[in-house]
Amino acid sequence: MRIVFGLASLILAGSMCSALLGVGPETKLRGELTQIVGDAEAGALIPIVIVMQDQVDRGDIAHFSGLKNKQMRRAGVISLLKNQARIGQQGLLNQLAAEQDAGQVGARLLPLWLHSAVATQATAEAIGRIAKRDDVAYISSDQPRGGIFPVEPADREPDLGGGVPLSGGNIECGVNVMRAPEVWNDLGITGEGVVVGIIDSGACITHPDLANQIWDNVDEIPNNGIDDDNNGYIDDINGYDFWHRTHNVGDANGHGTHTTGTVACDGTNGTTTGMAPDVGMMILKISFALSAESMVWEAMQYAVDNGADVITASIGWLHAWNPDRPMWRNECENAIAAGVVVIYAAGNEGCSIPPDEIRTPGDVPAIITVGATDCSDNLASFSSCGPVTWQNIPPWNDCPYPPGCIKPT
């Protein structure tokens, strides 16, 4: 058994692309987007994220993140972030609406507030016009990508026994290694009253081991086709499917049910595999086959906005894919500032290419990054190892390598 949760500089594509964008070598396009724009056919819609220049001052966020009252802390941070996004994005959204009318921007228009940005699809010509805006910091590719769920070797048979379950049955070995039964039985802490937002392929919410742990949005009336709680999502009783834009959070793959069980399976069927068998699980479904970074960012801000105490995800982007690391770090740090514990997988790339083995956002220094061990608490051969570095990622430029910052943590 494994204990697993979940889980450079830009070279311009050439003078043709620069001429198209109407910008010089200081182009605002990041990562692979320059090449994508240069290769795009006329009229083709390209998935992008437009990150705004003006963001909430870190000092203002720190004022609220230091509050002892959890509700006031979260409300204050969310209010700051939402107000900044609402005011700062207005001019851009007006332009994008006009571009939509001209057929230069697609139907999807997703304002993001956890770190102010807008996700959409636009033609190369429209991207060039957007890049000229003074209120735009940069634009990155939002191409859906497969493989964000790290490939895991097949499990060996679980080692059952040891520990004292809450009610009969067996306890899976990883739960014992973490000494969770001692916390349940000696301290009386089982996760009751805590909401965990799990970003994955969905979950089988009727599974006997999970059915009692699924989060219930009490402010939403089921299946009436109305956004009763006015949070922007219709009938989101147990969470939301951010891929199909529906309230159906059923698992289309099985991975999400597995990872949800790692968090909260209570052993009704005979074996307890959950670390916290009384938590409420907010199901935040994304595509197992192809997921865009903005899809996960939306899921994160949903969790923050709707009361999750923890966000966990067994996913990550390889550095070779040019993920938007600054956006990820801001997203995670702002969620933490609002009082949310953020957990991501390290990945399953082994320990051969430091400091680039840990996937993004598992490489964000402030979050909890989870690797893998066996039942004897020995490092699994496939588990990604640290350290990580942000020495070339402004404005942080920290964790210089060597030695870098330790991960997993």
Side-chain angles (χ1 to χ4, degrees):
M1 182 270 172
R2 303 188 309 280
I3 305 170
V4 183
F5 274 96
L7 158 181
S9 294
L10 177 65
I11 300 176
L12 297 180
S15 60
M16 180 181 72
C17 184
S18 294
L20 172 65
L21 294 172
V23 293
E26 299 298 322
T27 177
K28 293 180 181 179
L29 273 60
R30 297 287 181 90
E32 61 187 357
L33 185 57
T34 299
Q35 186 66 49
I36 292 172
V37 167
D39 294 341
E41 296 181 0
L45 293 175
I46 303 168
I48 58 172
V49 172
I50 309 158
V51 181
M52 306 307 297
Q53 186 74 252
D54 291 337
Q55 303 288 341
V56 177
D57 183 83
R58 303 307 302 182
D60 293 338
I61 291 177
H63 169 75
F64 284 101
S65 65
L67 295 178
K68 294 182 179 180
N69 182 287
K70 186 174 181 178
Q71 288 72 31
M72 292 179 63
R73 172 181 179 174
R74 184 178 300 230
V77 171
I78 289 176
S79 179
L80 281 175
L81 296 172
K82 284 188 173 182
N83 285 338
Q84 176 62 62
R86 176 178 55 82
I87 296 169
Q89 294 174 10
Q90 191 57 60
L92 173 64
L93 292 173
N94 290 340
Q95 178 175 334
L96 293 176
E99 297 277 10
Q100 279 182 324
D101 292 341
Q104 297 295 300
V105 164
R108 182 177 185 249
L109 204 61
L110 175 64
L112 297 165
W113 53 262
L114 193 54
H115 186 68
S116 185
V118 178
T120 189
Q121 306 99 358
T123 65
E125 293 80 5
I127 292 172
R129 291 187 287 272
I130 295 165
K132 293 178 181 178
R133 294 186 60 92
D134 292 338
D135 56 358
V136 170
Y138 65 89
I139 308 172
S140 60
S141 172
D142 195 34
Q143 188 69 37
R145 186 178 293 278
I148 69 165
F149 294 82
V151 177
E152 302 172 8
D155 285 334
R156 65 179 179 83
E157 288 299 311
D159 179 6
L160 304 176
V164 181
L166 291 175
S167 56
N170 298 305
I171 296 182
E172 204 270 344
C173 74
V175 178
N176 283 321
V177 169
M178 297 294 287
R179 300 175 64 184
E182 296 177 43
V183 177
W184 306 335
N185 296 290
D186 297 347
L187 301 179
I189 300 173
T190 61
E192 186 175 2
V194 174
V195 176
V196 178
I198 184 161
I199 303 173
D200 213 293
S201 61
C204 178
I205 62 176
T206 59
H207 191 292
D209 287 330
L210 299 175
N212 293 328
Q213 284 74 252
I214 303 301
W215 173 72
D216 183 19
N217 183 358
V218 297
D219 295 323
E220 192 77 11
I221 300 172
N223 302 315
N224 68 350
I226 299 172
D227 179 14
D228 299 289
D229 58 358
N230 198 33
N231 70 350
Y233 300 88
I234 295 172
D235 292 335
D236 54 321
I237 298 300
N238 308 122
Y240 199 71
D241 178 351
F242 298 93
W243 178 246
H244 298 102
R245 315 303 302 180
T246 176
H247 66 281
N248 181 4
V249 297
D251 193 356
N253 175 269
H255 189 275
T257 300
H258 168 79
T259 56
T260 303
T262 302
V263 177
C265 165
D266 67 359
T268 296
N269 269 0
T271 301
T272 300
T273 66
M275 295 296 300
D278 286 333
V279 299
M281 297 303 302
M282 179 188 289
I283 310 303
L284 308 173
K285 181 178 177 179
I286 62 173
S287 170
F288 186 86
L290 290 171
S291 286
E293 291 173 89
S294 66
M295 192 185 306
V296 182
W297 297 331
E298 183 184 11
M300 288 182 66
Q301 72 179 29
Y302 178 98
V304 173
D305 205 24
N306 289 277
D309 301 289
V310 180
I311 295 171
T312 183
S314 176
I315 61 174
W317 271 255
L318 297 172
H319 288 181
W321 298 342
N322 292 313
D324 189 345
R325 294 180 70 190
M327 184 74 176
W328 278 109
R329 185 157 175 177
N330 282 305
E331 289 272 323
C332 292
E333 290 184 352
N334 287 345
I336 293 169
V340 180
V341 177
V342 180
I343 307 169
Y344 274 91
N348 293 337
E349 277 62 59
C351 304
S352 60
I353 52 169
D356 287 309
E357 292 141 359
I358 304 292
R359 295 188 178 211
T360 301
D363 58 0
V364 173
I367 74 165
I368 297 172
T369 305
V370 182
T373 72
D374 61 19
C375 285
S376 298
D377 207 21
N378 297 312
L379 178 68
S381 62
F382 55 85
S383 181
S384 292
C385 301
V388 300
T389 182
W390 287 72
Q391 62 189 11
N392 296 321
I393 310 294
W396 299 277
N397 302 108
D398 55 0
C399 297
Y401 178 80
C405 288
I406 294 173
K407 288 286 182 179
T409 53

